[in-house]
Amino acid sequence: MWTGLREHREAAGLTQAELADRAGVSRQLVGAAEAGRNLPRVDAALALAAALGISVESLFGSGPDPVDVIGGTPPPHGSLVRIGRVGERIVTAPVGLGREGWEPPDAAVEDGTLRHLRRRGPGLVVAGCEPGLQALERLLRDDGMGAVAAVASSAAAVEALRGGRVHAAVVHGPRLADRGSPDSLDIDRFHLTRWQVGLAAPAEAEAGWWEAALSGRTAVIQREPGAGVQQAFERALAARAGSVIGPRVPTHLEATTRAVLTGTPAVTIEPAALAMGAAFHALETHEAQIWIARTWTHERPVTDAMNIITSPVFQRRLAAVGGYDLSGSGAHVG
C-alpha cells in the first residue's frame, strides 16, 4: 500500500508522537500506517490529514511522487536533495557545492523514495537566476523552514510556476513593469530590484575587450536561450556579428567565475561581476520581479519570505554586493 504519510509528516517537521497527539490517534497507528502495515479507518485518516493540513488522497491514495523543481521529473536514484513542499506536492532540488562546501541535504533518494536525513517545516519554493535567492534560502533554512531556491532561467522558472512546482518565480527583463502577466498564470507581481546585464572579463582585460566579444572575434561564455541575459546579449549581437560561439553555463556566478579563470568574456549581471572582482560592460538595465501564484500569496511560507526580502538586513546584504538598485523593493506591481 502506498502512503505519503511519512513524507508529509517529516516535511512538516513533526515526529510520529507529535503528529499522533495533534490528530488524537496513537503513535503506533502512525508508525503502522507509515510502514504500510495498516490502513487507518476513515475517521483516523481524516484526523491525520487535517493535522497536516492536506487531503486524505495525498496520504493514502495514489499521491504524487517527488519531482525535481525545474525538470518535473523524478530525482535520480542515489542523489542527495533539498526538499520543499508546494501545497501537497513534494519537490526536490539537487544539493550543490558552495564556497563553504557541500550544501546540507534533506534526504537521499532510494528507488523513488525520499529517505529523510533531517526535518524541515514548510518554506518558500522559488526558482530564478537572481543570486540573492540562495542567500534568502539560507536565511529561511536557518529558521528551520524547508525553503528551496532553484537556479533557473526566467523561462524555466515561469514553466515551473505554471506546472505548480514552485510558489514563485523570479523573472527579469527590460521594461518588465510595462508587461502584462501571461494569460495562463494567475499571479501577483512584486518588484525586487534593478541591475545591469552585460559582459564580464578579468579585471586586467585590455581596454575595449567587449568589442571583440560583440563582433564575433572571440568566444563568449553564454547562458541558455531562455535566460534574460542571453536574450540581451543576442539583441546586442543582432547589428554586429550575428552569432558568437562559446560554452553554455547555468548561472550568473558560474559564467563570471569562468570568465575570471579563463579570460573568456561571459554573459552575466553586474552584481555577479562585482562579487568576483571582474571587469563589466553593460548592455541593458533589467528589472527583476517575483511572480507569486495567487493561490499562495497569503500563505505563511510566502509571507515569511517576503518579510525577509523587504527587511533591512536582507536589503543591506544585497547592497553590500553592489550593482543593485533596491528602490521600491517589495512593491506590488500587478
Side-chain angles (χ1 to χ4, degrees):
M1 178 188 69
W2 181 92
T3 173
L5 181 58
R6 177 175 60 80
E7 285 79 4
H8 285 289
R9 172 181 63 78
E10 293 186 347
L14 299 174
T15 65
Q16 289 185 347
E18 289 168 339
L19 175 59
D21 183 62
R22 287 190 182 189
V25 301
S26 70
R27 189 202 61 76
Q28 290 77 11
L29 183 146
V30 174
E34 290 186 355
R37 298 191 304 269
N38 178 46
L39 181 64
R41 296 181 312 181
V42 172
D43 58 345
L46 288 170
L48 288 167
L52 291 167
I54 56 179
S55 70
V56 172
E57 289 76 17
S58 68
L59 291 182
F60 305 109
S62 55
D65 293 327
V67 295
D68 180 77
V69 172
I70 303 304
T73 56
H77 171 72
S79 61
L80 296 174
V81 295
R82 294 126 61 211
I83 299 174
R85 177 175 159 184
V86 182
E88 297 175 4
R89 171 171 282 180
I90 302 297
V91 296
T92 67
V95 169
L97 179 62
R99 291 190 176 186
E100 299 178 357
W102 290 105
E103 298 168 340
D106 295 327
V109 182
E110 299 177 5
D111 297 323
T113 299
L114 298 177
R115 299 301 178 189
H116 291 255
L117 303 175
R118 58 180 176 173
R119 292 189 285 270
R120 293 279 185 183
L124 177 76
V125 181
V126 59
C129 60
E130 162 53 52
L133 292 178
Q134 282 67 56
L136 174 64
E137 178 187 300
R138 287 192 293 271
L139 287 171
L140 291 168
R141 283 179 164 255
D142 285 346
D143 286 338
M145 301 179 209
V148 174
V151 177
S153 67
S154 293
V158 170
E159 283 306 308
L161 185 63
R162 185 174 285 113
R165 299 188 298 276
V166 296
H167 299 108
V170 170
V171 179
H172 70 89
R175 298 176 298 279
L176 196 59
D178 297 332
R179 299 187 196 175
S181 303
D183 293 338
S184 58
L185 291 177
D186 184 21
I187 59 175
D188 282 311
R189 299 191 299 164
F190 297 86
H191 173 71
L192 285 183
T193 185
R194 292 179 184 84
W195 26 243
Q196 292 183 314
V197 305
L199 297 168
E204 64 276 11
E206 296 181 358
W209 56 268
W210 60 86
E211 290 290 348
L214 292 172
S215 62
R217 300 198 308 269
T218 184
V220 176
I221 298 166
Q222 300 173 57
R223 295 286 306 283
E224 64 269 39
V229 291
Q230 181 66 24
Q231 294 168 359
F233 177 58
E234 291 172 358
R235 283 191 288 270
L237 286 177
R240 301 192 184 200
S243 64
V244 172
I245 63 170
R248 305 271 181 168
V249 299
T251 70
H252 298 311
L253 290 176
E254 183 174 342
T256 309
T257 300
R258 287 202 188 189
V260 171
L261 293 177
T262 67
T264 304
V267 179
T268 189
I269 63 175
E270 186 179 20
L274 292 174
M276 297 298 298
F280 182 76
H281 176 73
L283 297 175
E284 294 180 353
T285 297
H286 281 200
E287 177 186 8
Q289 295 180 353
I290 183 166
W291 292 3
I292 303 172
R294 202 157 275 150
T295 301
W296 313 120
T297 302
H298 300 293
E299 294 294 316
R300 182 69 179 271
V302 172
T303 57
D304 284 347
M306 290 301 294
N307 286 337
I308 289 181
I309 287 172
T310 56
S311 70
V313 171
F314 188 73
Q315 298 275 307
R316 284 195 295 267
R317 177 173 292 195
L318 294 186
V321 174
Y324 286 98
D325 175 359
L326 297 166
S327 57
S329 184
H332 186 261
V333 294

